[in-house]
Amino acid sequence: MAVLDERRPLYEIKANLFKGLAHPHRIRVLEILSSTDEASVTTMLADTGLEASHLSQHLAVLRRYGLVVSERRASVVYYRLAHPQISELLRVARVLLGEILTDADSQRELVNSLPEIPDAR
């Protein structure tokens, strides 16, 4: 498993972790799992609107990178976060994103408040 290969430098291992996070649907799945102890595949299908095959592929990536774990009970498969720190990582990312967007809005407002530059013609 590339994400856990101790022979690689830490920055490469960390980059592989972020590869596991690098899709909007996987982030959505992790947010769903952050809001509950566990969720069934059926619940996640309803909450994400994904087709079963697409959800399955994203869950496989999340499992491969050690971000989620699954448990089958009878015919139902349940998922949960592999580490509670994943919820904190998502929360910090949301706060950071809010700050970045606020900074971008502030910069846009500053640009818009500058006097117009006359046409050189």
Side-chain angles (χ1 to χ4, degrees):
M1 183 181 313
V3 79
L4 299 178
D5 186 350
E6 292 111 16
R7 296 170 294 179
R8 293 190 160 169
L10 184 58
Y11 61 85
E12 284 184 26
I13 295 170
K14 193 182 295 185
N16 282 331
L17 170 66
F18 283 104
K19 286 178 188 177
L21 298 169
H23 194 284
H25 293 305
R26 291 196 289 270
I27 295 296
R28 180 65 187 125
V29 166
L30 293 173
E31 288 177 343
I32 291 166
L33 295 175
S34 291
S35 68
T36 185
D37 290 337
E38 64 183 11
S40 69
V41 170
T42 304
T43 299
M44 287 189 284
L45 284 169
D47 288 350
T48 62
L50 291 171
E51 294 180 19
S53 61
H54 293 151
L55 178 60
S56 177
Q57 290 171 4
H58 289 298
L59 289 168
V61 170
L62 292 171
R63 278 193 315 271
R64 184 170 52 247
Y65 285 99
L67 298 169
V68 299
V69 293
S70 62
E71 179 182 342
R72 177 178 293 279
R73 293 186 217 135
S75 63
V76 180
V77 179
Y78 292 89
Y79 281 84
R80 67 180 183 280
L81 296 178
H83 307 278
Q85 295 89 341
I86 295 167
S87 291
E88 181 66 12
L89 178 63
L90 293 171
R91 190 192 65 72
V92 168
R94 186 175 286 184
V95 170
L96 175 61
L97 179 59
E99 289 178 12
I100 290 169
L101 293 174
T102 298
D103 290 345
D105 286 342
S106 298
Q107 291 172 357
R108 192 174 303 111
E109 288 175 18
L110 287 172
V111 168
N112 290 338
S113 70
L114 294 173
E116 284 195 37
I117 300 172
D119 195 351
R121 293 181 205 173

